[in-house]
Amino acid sequence: MINEIIVDVGVGEVRVGILEDKELAEIYIERTSHQGLVGNIYRGKVCSVLPGMQAAFIDIGYEKNAFLYVGDAIPQKEYSDDEIDVYRDYTDYNITDLLKVGQEITVQVIKEPIGTKGPRVSTHITLPGRNLVLLPNADYIGISRRIEDENERQKLKKIAENLKPENMGLIVRTASEGKEEADFIDDVSFLTKLWSKIKQAESSGPVPRCIHKDINLIYRSVRDLFTRNIDKFIINDEKEYYKVLELVEMISPALKNRVELFSKDYAIFDYYQIESKIERALARKVWLKCGGYIIIDKTEALTVIDVNTGKFVGNNNLEDTVLITNMEASKEIAKQLRLRDIGGIVIIDFIDMNDPEHQQMVLDSLKQSLKNDRTKTIVLGMTGLGLVELTRKKIRQELATVMNCDCPCCDGNGRVFTAETHAMNILREIREYLKTSSVNNIRVEVHTSVAPIIENYTDKLIQEYSNVPGCVITVCPVNDIKIGGFRILSKAESK
């Protein structure tokens, strides 16, 4: 498999696409007008403490107060076998015992503001390096769950124990697999110095304020994504290209020859056919190679994915047709969850399968396909109704939220009134206008699709107002008006 990172440095935004065998696997977008908050550390002030929610709201200087859950405010106790995620035993704690209104507190953003919600923060500070994550407020060793070889895990744990700063914790990242102790020394030195600098910034200055800002998307991509599994790192900006080379020289010199400057007379995302793939990642319907398709719908509480056979009629029997469609859909669903960065609860309605063996095959295929996803995902299994439940960790806004907004015609409902419904509404407005106005000759401008329907009823309206001498209603179809819009003009106004 050929893996590539493609970086498009544009005016006002940076986009990073990860290609796996020429297929878009992940896409990240950071805009100058709205840079991400995850990883930033703030000195904030407690605004309110809510014992009924076991949470507090913290003013960090953002437009919306940050949300601090009790589990993110208590001391870190142990590691849950997940990069930068820790076990939180909060049952013996009450938020009112931990925080008071007006108290100053240092927190780190762990989840971007999404929709009407502000950012989520934690007192469990994590400082990621190339190979290690430093936990300044913890005291344990953790190994990435993606390193599966037990001998390798034991070797890395021993190295981490030798290098662990006193009264601090370390997590060994996936990129550390196969490395030796010498590869970790610079990471530990850099991260401990960074923490000392943050502690100094914490001690003085106005509150709220940002005391540490995480690096931008380009350099995060080098730090977190550019591993030995990546064959090429291609960027289209010469200035940033040389900065990337300097960073790679410091953290992974062996990868330096894989960094390339894109200098062709093409838009880089067009050249690698990423633009069209992004459009597909925003579509509600995704076609499968077999002819079936999946439908992805987002609700406030969860994401629903429906699987259909579509144009696929199979070759042998119905059970085989269903199994083939569901197996292919399971792979595509795992791919779409990762590409669209869908988080939270996901419900999948596979086509009904009567054979328990077929059901297990589809579940196993889904779980296997999700192993490529760096974001933690838990498949809970199949319900009695044949629905598959899973949860995927939500950290940042989904791709559709970043690139799309609610339609001004439907206000985000996804459906609009029919032309006939609009016509009936406009006819009521005309009727009220004739009732309250002394004007008897009017011109009604409406959308071309609505005009013929209204014309069918103008004679009836004129009859209703036969007591108005010389009542005339002229319907004029126009294109520069939205489908539900209209203008009523008197004879004098329309001249």
Side-chain angles (χ1 to χ4, degrees):
M1 180 184 288
I2 299 174
N3 298 324
E4 299 168 307
I5 295 177
I6 312 299
V7 182
D8 176 25
V9 182
V11 179
E13 76 172 1
V14 173
R15 299 183 297 174
V16 174
I18 299 178
L19 296 181
E20 295 178 353
D21 276 344
K22 307 300 180 183
E23 283 297 314
L24 184 63
E26 296 177 31
I27 179 75
Y28 300 92
I29 299 173
E30 186 171 86
R31 290 174 176 151
T32 307
S33 59
H34 182 76
Q35 296 195 355
L37 301 180
V38 168
N40 292 356
I41 300 174
Y42 295 86
R43 188 66 175 169
K45 184 175 288 187
V46 179
C47 291
S48 58
V49 179
L50 309 173
M53 294 178 64
Q54 282 286 67
F57 284 99
I58 314 295
D59 180 8
I60 62 170
Y62 187 68
E63 58 191 73
K64 295 175 183 174
N65 288 336
F67 181 82
L68 176 62
Y69 185 58
V70 65
D72 295 310
I74 63 176
Q76 291 171 264
K77 289 194 173 180
E78 62 182 80
Y79 177 64
S80 71
D81 198 28
D82 182 21
E83 281 189 27
I84 317 180
D85 189 21
V86 293
Y87 173 73
R88 300 172 174 90
D89 180 12
Y90 59 86
T91 54
D92 297 330
Y93 292 86
N94 192 304
I95 193 71
T96 55
D97 297 330
L98 299 170
L99 299 171
K100 306 296 178 188
V101 174
Q103 175 183 341
E104 293 185 8
I105 185 172
T106 298
V107 293
Q108 184 174 39
V109 177
I110 58 173
K111 186 184 291 186
E112 295 283 355
I114 298 173
T116 59
K117 298 177 181 177
R120 182 168 169 176
V121 295
S122 172
T123 60
H124 303 158
I125 307 298
T126 60
L127 298 177
R130 173 63 168 178
N131 302 304
L132 299 167
V133 177
L134 179 69
L135 310 174
N137 300 328
D139 193 3
Y140 57 80
I141 300 292
I143 310 294
S144 167
R145 62 189 170 90
R146 294 174 69 86
I147 299 175
E148 297 179 348
D149 183 86
E150 191 56 38
N151 291 331
E152 182 69 13
R153 292 177 68 86
Q154 290 302 320
K155 182 197 85 173
L156 293 172
K157 186 175 183 181
K158 195 168 289 186
I159 292 173
E161 286 172 346
N162 293 338
L163 297 176
K164 186 178 84 68
E166 189 176 356
N167 299 321
M168 292 187 187
L170 287 176
I171 294 175
V172 180
R173 305 190 74 178
T174 308
S176 303
E177 190 169 7
K179 295 190 175 180
E180 301 300 329
E181 185 167 332
D183 299 312
F184 297 86
I185 294 173
D186 288 344
D187 247 16
V188 174
S189 175
F190 170 76
L191 293 173
T192 49
K193 287 177 182 176
L194 177 60
W195 177 240
S196 297
K197 186 178 177 182
I198 292 169
K199 290 298 288 182
Q200 288 178 1
E202 181 186 50
S203 59
S204 62
V207 177
R209 69 184 184 280
C210 179
I211 58 177
H212 170 71
K213 190 173 178 63
D214 199 11
I215 54 181
N216 67 30
L217 178 58
I218 298 174
Y219 310 131
R220 286 202 310 274
S221 300
V222 175
R223 182 189 69 192
D224 301 336
L225 304 175
F226 190 26
T227 65
R228 59 183 179 178
N229 296 322
I230 300 295
D231 299 288
K232 290 182 181 180
F233 186 104
I234 305 167
I235 186 168
N236 66 341
D237 183 278
E238 187 174 7
K239 183 179 177 182
E240 294 295 345
Y241 164 73
Y242 287 111
K243 288 182 180 179
V244 167
L245 284 178
E246 289 177 12
L247 182 57
V248 174
E249 178 68 42
M250 286 191 293
I251 63 175
S252 291
L255 300 179
K256 192 174 178 182
N257 63 346
R258 302 187 190 184
V259 181
E260 295 182 9
L261 175 64
F262 182 85
S263 54
K264 295 180 174 63
D265 292 330
Y266 293 90
I268 187 169
F269 267 30
D270 283 335
Y271 183 83
Y272 287 98
Q273 300 177 345
I274 295 176
E275 293 288 6
S276 58
K277 292 180 173 70
I278 293 175
E279 289 180 17
R280 185 169 181 256
L282 296 171
R284 180 172 175 259
K285 178 186 284 189
V286 179
W287 286 97
L288 305 175
K289 291 179 181 177
C290 69
Y293 63 88
I294 61 174
I295 296 288
I296 303 174
D297 281 321
K298 178 75 177 172
T299 74
E300 186 71 22
L302 47 82
T303 300
V304 181
I305 302 177
D306 185 36
V307 182
N308 297 277
T309 53
K311 296 180 284 189
F312 181 52
V313 295
N315 297 316
N316 299 319
N317 55 56
L318 178 60
E319 285 189 0
D320 284 348
T321 302
V322 169
L323 178 61
I324 292 169
T325 307
N326 283 340
M327 289 291 284
E328 191 172 324
S330 68
K331 296 180 178 67
E332 185 63 37
I333 288 168
K335 178 182 171 183
Q336 292 297 323
L337 292 177
R338 183 182 171 198
L339 176 56
R340 298 171 189 237
D341 207 3
I342 293 173
I345 300 170
V346 179
I347 302 295
I348 306 170
D349 184 10
F350 285 106
I351 305 167
D352 290 342
M353 296 171 286
N354 297 321
D355 190 336
E357 186 178 341
H358 287 183
Q359 293 178 358
Q360 192 58 50
M361 286 172 65
V362 171
L363 275 176
D364 290 343
S365 173
L366 179 63
K367 291 176 183 177
Q368 184 62 36
S369 300
L370 287 167
K371 283 188 175 181
N372 295 325
D373 195 343
R374 293 181 304 110
T375 301
K376 187 176 182 181
T377 306
I378 300 172
V379 179
L380 300 173
M382 193 171 286
T383 69
L385 294 174
L387 304 174
V388 173
E389 299 175 314
L390 64 86
T391 62
R392 187 173 184 272
K393 193 172 181 181
K394 187 185 292 185
I395 299 174
R396 59 185 62 83
Q397 291 184 334
E398 297 175 11
L399 178 65
T401 306
V402 173
M403 298 194 66
N404 294 345
C405 65
D406 285 345
C407 168
C409 294
C410 70
D411 293 325
N413 292 324
R415 298 179 69 83
V416 295
F417 286 145
T418 63
E420 191 169 16
T421 302
H422 282 305
M424 295 303 117
N425 291 337
I426 294 169
L427 283 166
R428 278 191 287 272
E429 294 290 340
I430 297 172
R431 190 178 184 190
E432 288 301 313
Y433 181 88
L434 291 172
K435 275 184 183 178
T436 57
S437 173
S438 58
V439 177
N440 63 355
N441 192 337
I442 62 170
R443 170 191 173 100
V444 182
E445 295 181 352
V446 294
H447 191 268
T448 50
S449 63
V450 177
I453 303 171
I454 293 179
E455 284 177 342
N456 290 337
Y457 293 94
T458 52
D459 287 345
K460 190 174 181 181
L461 269 177
I462 291 170
Q463 288 176 12
E464 187 175 340
Y465 292 94
S466 57
N467 58 325
V468 179
C471 182
V472 177
I473 302 173
T474 305
V475 180
C476 298
V478 292
N479 288 316
D480 65 342
I481 193 168
K482 68 179 184 179
I483 189 169
F486 65 93
R487 289 188 286 264
I488 300 177
L489 305 172
S490 67
K491 185 178 179 182
E493 290 173 317
S494 61
K495 284 184 178 179

